[in-house]
Amino acid sequence: MAQLLILTSQGNADVLPALGLLSHRARAIPAEPAALVGAPPADAILVDARFDLAAAKGLCKILTATGAGSPIIVVLTEGGLTAVNAEWGIDDVMLDTAGPAEVDARLRLAIGRQTRDAAGASTIRASGVVIDEASYSAKVHGRTLDLTFKEFELLRFLAGHPSRVFTREQLLSEVWGYDYFGGTRTVDVHVRRLRAKLGDMESLIGTVRNVGYRFTLHEDEPEVSQLQA
């Protein structure tokens, strides 16, 4: 039996009727950013996207950027499926008409993947940067970096492959995914923002002219330390 958190402006039973036939415990809170501050812990988070796709997408981005710690599943109508892409940062989608067996299976798989990924998470240490994959947090010389989800993913990927140069196309594929249709300009924008947040350590993200970017190690640090959790 899982503890579920439903973000919706409607009633519990309206979002996913099949939940009423399962033994999972569900609690609903308003689908608003302010409601997330005191949100209770949950094994999975269901976001109601049936009526307002833009608001639901924004909410999902906030959840991923702040490190929700639980799989995020969007509930929508069949017509809303075309609007969902990798930018949402979610773990799965579910139609509001899904039956009990499908709902239970999708919840079980999403929670199982989250548990497996957390167990395999590691800590990356390089040139004063400490990246904790389990908590989606990053620090530079003890100072916590306020990163968005994609900024974190970009830093994690580059720091996990120190000194290796990646083209913008490679970074788009590795960090944003193959289904991302934006241009390479996206990479430049995120690198610029990441450097700004690194402050005095902005040189850690090096530019190789006409090629791409790399994570630059200090001269006295020949390799990255990656500790398994």
Side-chain angles (χ1 to χ4, degrees), residues 168-224:
R168 292 168 176 82
E169 290 78 10
Q170 286 176 316
L171 290 172
L172 272 179
S173 173
E174 295 291 342
V175 178
W176 279 263
Y178 287 103
D179 56 350
Y180 180 74
F181 296 104
T184 55
R185 172 69 174 165
T186 296
V187 176
D188 296 330
V189 171
H190 279 74
V191 166
R192 184 171 68 248
R193 292 174 179 171
L194 184 55
R195 283 173 171 163
K197 292 181 179 181
L198 285 169
D200 294 340
M201 301 296 290
E202 65 175 355
S203 61
L204 287 176
I205 309 299
T207 300
V208 179
R209 183 168 296 182
N210 298 324
V211 182
Y213 299 103
R214 68 181 173 190
F215 186 90
T216 306
L217 289 174
H218 290 163
E219 293 183 1
D220 58 350
E221 189 173 6
E223 60 183 26
V224 66

Side-chain angles (χ1 to χ4, degrees), residues 82-123:
T82 57
V84 181
N85 56 37
E87 289 185 8
W88 287 57
I90 60 177
D91 297 277
D92 203 354
V93 295
M94 197 180 299
L95 292 179
D96 59 345
T97 55
E102 180 181 349
V103 170
D104 195 50
R106 287 186 178 276
L107 287 171
R108 187 168 61 250
L109 290 171
I111 294 171
R113 285 194 298 267
Q114 184 81 8
T115 302
R116 179 198 62 199
D117 293 346
S122 60
T123 299

Side-chain angles (χ1 to χ4, degrees), residues 49-54 56 74-85 88 90 93-96:
R50 296 172 300 158
F51 305 111
D52 193 337
L53 289 167
V74 167
V75 180
L76 35 63
T77 62
E78 189 169 357
L81 287 173
T82 57
V84 181
N85 56 37
W88 287 57
I90 60 177
V93 295
M94 197 180 299
L95 292 179
D96 59 345

Side-chain angles (χ1 to χ4, degrees), residues 7-68:
L7 305 182
T8 179
S9 57
Q10 310 298 316
N12 253 8
D14 294 334
V15 180
L16 203 56
L19 275 179
L21 302 174
L22 299 171
S23 60
H24 303 302
R25 293 182 178 176
R27 177 176 175 181
I29 63 173
E32 302 170 357
L36 300 177
V37 177
D43 298 312
I45 300 173
L46 304 181
V47 178
D48 184 2
R50 296 172 300 158
F51 305 111
D52 193 337
L53 289 167
K57 180 179 179 180
L59 200 57
C60 289
K61 285 187 171 184
I62 291 174
L63 286 168
T64 54
T66 55

Side-chain angles (χ1 to χ4, degrees), residues 123-126 128-132 137-142 145 152 155:
T123 299
I124 299 173
R125 300 177 185 274
V129 174
V130 179
I131 301 171
D132 187 342
S137 64
K139 296 181 179 181
V140 56
H141 292 308
L145 299 174
F152 175 86
L155 178 61

